[in-house]
Amino acid sequence: MKGMTELLKGVLEGVVLQVIQNSEEAYGYQITSTLIELGFQDIVEGTVYTVLLRLEKKNLVTVEKRKSMVGPARKFYRLNDAGVTYLADFWQKWSFLVDQLIKIKR
Amino acid sequence: MKGMTELLKGVLEGVVLQVIQNSEEAYGYQITSTLIELGFQDIVEGTVYTVLLRLEKKNLVTVEKRKSMVGPARKFYRLNDAGVTYLADFWQKWSFLVDQLIKIKR
DNA sequence: GTCCAGTACTTAGTAATACTAGGTAAGGCC
DNA sequence: GGCCTTACCTAGTATTACTAAGTACTGGAC
């Protein structure tokens, strides 16, 4: 869907964290594919990587580089404790927002 | 709720439009109060006014200035046809996003 | 009649974040 | 070698909400 950019702000971090958690660990290229499969058609690789670097900088994930047999090395991300807490907090804020919007729409 | 700033991006425009539509017409100060009442505790006046000016610039609303007996003149906003369309589009995008997030959370 | 609280609107500057539009590399296949 | 897929990185830009002010009008307290 077109024009989702602004709506995605603040959401993508949580979404990426959740996708990582869903598969225990995940790497950027894989996350991008997963998101596109799930319907985020317009998500671009670059966007996902900037999110991942941000998550790393915020110390919400651990990173492990491992070689691949079909291309360059992959950077596998995993949530750490702070990441798990952050994700739970994200869903709480999200639910809150959803509830507010339901109230407004009536 | 704290730290909703980023989540609000892209949402506030739709929310403000909906609040205006809910009362046929509305002015900034009133919209701010309504939002705070509805739970957006941390919304600040300045934010609402910047949204309103943006909506005006995008030609989604009509504006009428009317005197008040309890303070300065009020600027009453109303959705025009483009605003109604935009709002419908906003809710469609929002629903889409909500559905995506449900899928991801599992 | 002066001061203040409540009402009402405006705006310059900042921070956060998604996108644009590239680029770099490694491996496999022809 | 040339090309495709996989895989990651990044400088610059646009959008948007917030910060932190300021202006101005009305009515009541004193």
Side-chain angles (χ1 to χ4, degrees), chain B residues 54-76:
Chain B
R54 208 157 65 228
L55 294 175
E56 201 179 336
K57 201 181 299 176
K58 287 185 181 177
N59 280 309
L60 300 173
V61 290
T62 59
V63 192
E64 197 194 336
K65 206 166 186 173
R66 292 209 295 274
K67 285 183 181 169
S68 159
M69 280 168 297
V70 295
R74 296 165 173 168
K75 278 177 75 178
F76 286 88

Side-chain angles (χ1 to χ4, degrees), chain A residues 1-4 6-7 9-11 15 18 22 38-40 91 93-94 96 100-101 103-104 106, chain B residues 1-4 6-7 9-10 15 18 22 38-40 91 93-94 96 100-101 103-104 106:
Chain A
M1 180 151 349
K2 295 289 173 205
M4 298 285 292
E6 295 307 325
L7 233 37
K9 285 199 176 161
V11 175
V15 164
Q18 185 65 49
N22 284 351
L38 284 168
F40 292 93
W91 283 117
K93 281 180 192 149
W94 174 253
F96 181 79
Q100 296 311 312
L101 285 231
K103 272 194 229 166
I104 284 167
R106 294 192 308 193
Chain B
M1 179 151 348
K2 296 289 174 205
M4 298 286 291
E6 294 306 327
L7 275 184
K9 287 200 175 160
V15 163
Q18 184 65 49
N22 285 349
L38 284 169
F40 292 94
W91 283 118
K93 282 179 192 151
W94 174 253
F96 181 78
Q100 295 311 314
L101 286 230
K103 272 195 229 166
I104 284 168
R106 294 190 306 191

Side-chain angles (χ1 to χ4, degrees), chain B residues 87-100:
Chain B
L87 184 56
D89 194 52
F90 164 75
W91 283 118
Q92 208 175 321
K93 282 179 192 151
W94 174 253
S95 300
F96 181 78
L97 185 61
V98 170
D99 287 347
Q100 295 311 314

Side-chain angles (χ1 to χ4, degrees), chain B residues 15-87:
Chain B
V15 163
V16 168
L17 278 174
Q18 184 65 49
V19 168
I20 295 171
Q21 200 182 53
N22 285 349
S23 17
E24 298 272 326
E25 63 174 11
Y27 57 96
Y29 193 82
Q30 174 193 3
I31 295 168
T32 306
S33 309
T34 303
L35 289 177
I36 290 173
E37 249 177 68
L38 284 169
F40 292 94
Q41 300 288 345
D42 304 317
I43 289 288
V44 167
E45 268 195 289
T47 300
V48 174
Y49 287 112
T50 54
V51 172
L52 287 170
L53 292 174
R54 208 157 65 228
L55 294 175
E56 201 179 336
K57 201 181 299 176
K58 287 185 181 177
N59 280 309
L60 300 173
V61 290
T62 59
V63 192
E64 197 194 336
K65 206 166 186 173
R66 292 209 295 274
K67 285 183 181 169
S68 159
M69 280 168 297
V70 295
R74 296 165 173 168
K75 278 177 75 178
F76 286 88
Y77 292 87
R78 248 173 216 278
L79 303 213
N80 60 22
D81 288 349
V84 173
T85 303
Y86 184 96
L87 184 56

